[in-house]
């Protein structure tokens, strides 16, 4: 009896130790934010190849914030699934309201609107989806806190809907492996919308987001990267391709005062993503 209890204890202890080695706190990643004077930030990285999780600032990674324009990933999925958008070529005409980004002031399709993060386009998409269907999918996916308060075209901007960096990485991981409760075609199209950088060494997919909460802006980058490796398959192998794509899933957010215009924070957030992904080895350093 004693031997059995001891064996059980050793198995549990060994499992716990193994689990902990797969979760790593990268306090050294603070330097990538401190160089820009950013004090409140987090980064979550899921390495699917080693089944490991890496993070900077665990507490903030678990804290929920408004998704802002990263919600365009979800909005696109629902639009395609419900046939509000038959495909990514759905054109919505410009309503003639001049907005602060000149590239928004024209007719455009979903692929164009996603690329330039056209808020007005996706607000119209949300209105066409309607609150009933939108809430259904928020609940089904279990997207963040699933709250949809206020108008149908602002709930992801008004701090009602909230999601954490940890939840964002889980969401895009399920999207990557076609595990979300949407058709395969729907998920495949949205993944192509997210492709931002395509190189011989890696493919980088992401969506940015910027949302105002009080006197500060929350800056998001959410997505995944495929590191491309070339291997030599042995003769007779069932794999017919020598190319392998190794995925990593990530989410970053940080906050800065609205009044701070000392830098182009839109560019800074992308630069930091590149630096951390290179530091980890998800994309090549050169």
């Amino acid at each position: 009896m004693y031997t059995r209890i001891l064996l059980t204890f050793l198995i549990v202890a060994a499992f716990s130790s193994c689990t902990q080695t797969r979760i790593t706190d990268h306090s050294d990643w603070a330097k990538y934010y401190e160089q820009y004077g950013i004090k409140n930030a987090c980064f979550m990285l899921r390495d699917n190849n080693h089944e490991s999780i890496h993070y900077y600032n665990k507490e903030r990674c678990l804290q929920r914030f408004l998704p802002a324009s990263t919600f365009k990933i979800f909005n696109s999925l629902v639009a395609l699934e419900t046939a509000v958008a038959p495909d990514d070529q759905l054109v919505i005409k410009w309503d003639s309201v001049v907005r602060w980004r000149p590239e928004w002031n024209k007719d455009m399709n979903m692929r164009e609107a996603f690329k330039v993060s056209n808020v007005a386009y996706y607000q119209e998409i949300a209105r066409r989806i309607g609150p009933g269907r939108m809430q259904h999918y928020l609940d089904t996916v279990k997207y963040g806190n699933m709250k949809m308060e206020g108008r149908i075209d602002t709930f992801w901007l008004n701090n009602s809907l909230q999601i954490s960096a940890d939840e964002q990485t889980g969401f895009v991981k399920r999207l990557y492996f076609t595990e979300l409760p949407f058709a395969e075609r729907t998920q495949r199209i949205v993944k192509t919308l997210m492709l931002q950088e395509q190189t011989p060494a890696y493919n980088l997919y992401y969506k940015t987001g910027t949302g105002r909460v009080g006197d500060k802006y929350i800056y998001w980058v959410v997505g995944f990267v495929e590191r491309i490796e070339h291997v030599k398959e042995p003769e007779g192998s069932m794999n017919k391709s020598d190319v392998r794509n190794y995925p990593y899933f990530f989410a970053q957010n940080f906050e800065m005062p609205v009044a701070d215009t000392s830098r182009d924070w839109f560019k800074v957030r992308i630069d930091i993503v590149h630096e951390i992904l290179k530091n980890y080895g998800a994309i090549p350093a050169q």
Side-chain angles (χ1 to χ4, degrees):
M1 182 67 177
Y2 173 78
T3 303
R4 183 178 298 174
I5 293 173
L6 178 61
L7 180 60
T8 301
F9 173 79
L10 291 174
I11 291 172
V12 171
F15 179 79
S16 298
S17 175
C18 178
T19 302
Q20 288 303 312
T21 61
R22 294 178 179 174
I23 302 176
T24 306
D25 181 354
H26 292 264
S27 58
D28 58 305
W29 287 351
K31 64 188 177 185
Y32 297 115
Y33 299 98
E34 291 170 353
Q35 66 182 324
Y36 297 108
I38 300 170
K39 297 178 181 179
N40 298 309
C42 72
F43 197 100
M44 175 71 76
L45 174 69
R46 295 191 182 201
D47 180 346
N48 191 71
N49 316 293
H50 298 95
E51 297 183 346
S52 59
I53 295 174
H54 304 261
Y55 63 84
Y56 163 65
N57 194 346
K58 178 181 178 180
E59 289 71 24
R60 188 177 176 93
C61 282
L62 299 176
Q63 184 178 353
R64 286 171 170 166
F65 298 91
L66 78 171
S69 283
T70 66
F71 187 70
K72 288 184 174 69
I73 302 171
F74 187 95
N75 209 352
S76 298
L77 287 165
V78 178
L80 291 162
E81 190 72 5
T82 58
V84 162
D87 53 37
D88 60 2
Q89 297 304 304
L90 171 69
V91 174
I92 293 180
K93 291 189 174 296
W94 177 39
D95 59 9
S96 300
V97 176
V98 177
R99 296 177 173 87
W100 68 281
R101 291 185 61 174
E103 60 268 36
W104 294 354
N105 301 326
K106 64 175 185 178
D107 301 349
M108 64 177 63
N109 62 35
M110 177 179 282
R111 185 164 294 275
E112 294 168 323
F114 192 96
K115 191 75 172 178
V116 300
S117 203
N118 187 333
V119 174
Y121 181 100
Y122 275 91
Q123 287 182 311
E124 176 59 23
I125 285 288
R127 288 190 288 268
R128 295 183 185 186
I129 291 170
R133 289 189 291 187
M134 188 70 83
Q135 187 68 65
H136 166 76
Y137 283 105
L138 287 172
D139 294 342
T140 303
V141 173
K142 292 181 169 52
Y143 185 93
N145 66 359
M146 299 172 281
K147 289 185 178 179
M148 196 177 70
E149 299 174 355
R151 289 165 36 190
I152 180 63
D153 55 5
T154 58
F155 68 90
W156 66 92
L157 301 168
N158 67 11
N159 213 29
S160 166
L161 183 66
Q162 296 182 337
I163 190 168
S164 69
D166 179 48
E167 290 169 324
Q168 291 268 35
T169 57
F171 173 65
V172 294
K173 180 179 179 180
R174 291 168 68 195
L175 172 63
Y176 182 85
F177 287 111
T178 324
E179 295 173 348
L180 290 170
F182 299 101
E184 183 278 334
R185 171 183 177 270
T186 296
Q187 296 178 78
R188 173 167 39 84
I189 291 173
V190 173
K191 280 186 280 188
T192 67
L193 295 179
M194 295 174 65
L195 181 59
Q196 302 284 355
E197 299 177 26
Q198 192 168 22
T199 78
Y202 68 89
N203 297 319
L204 183 57
Y205 301 74
Y206 63 81
K207 183 69 194 75
T208 58
T210 306
R212 181 169 181 168
V213 180
D215 62 353
K216 62 188 177 186
Y217 281 128
I218 307 297
Y219 295 94
W220 281 101
V221 186
V222 174
F224 53 89
V225 60
E226 293 174 321
R227 178 161 181 155
I228 302 171
E229 299 286 351
H230 296 270
V231 298
K232 183 63 178 177
E233 287 291 343
E235 187 175 350
S237 172
M238 294 181 64
N239 293 316
K240 302 305 179 183
S241 173
D242 291 338
V243 178
R244 297 287 178 273
N245 293 334
Y246 297 101
Y248 304 81
F249 310 95
F250 64 87
Q252 167 191 258
N253 75 57
F254 62 81
E255 63 187 59
M256 291 299 292
V258 170
D260 190 334
T261 57
S262 61
R263 294 180 183 274
D264 181 353
W265 300 111
F266 296 150
K267 180 178 183 300
V268 166
R269 62 184 168 189
I270 302 301
D271 290 344
I272 294 175
V273 166
H274 278 96
E275 289 179 290
I276 291 179
L277 292 179
K278 287 178 182 177
N279 174 270
Y280 183 74
I283 61 177
Q286 297 295 331

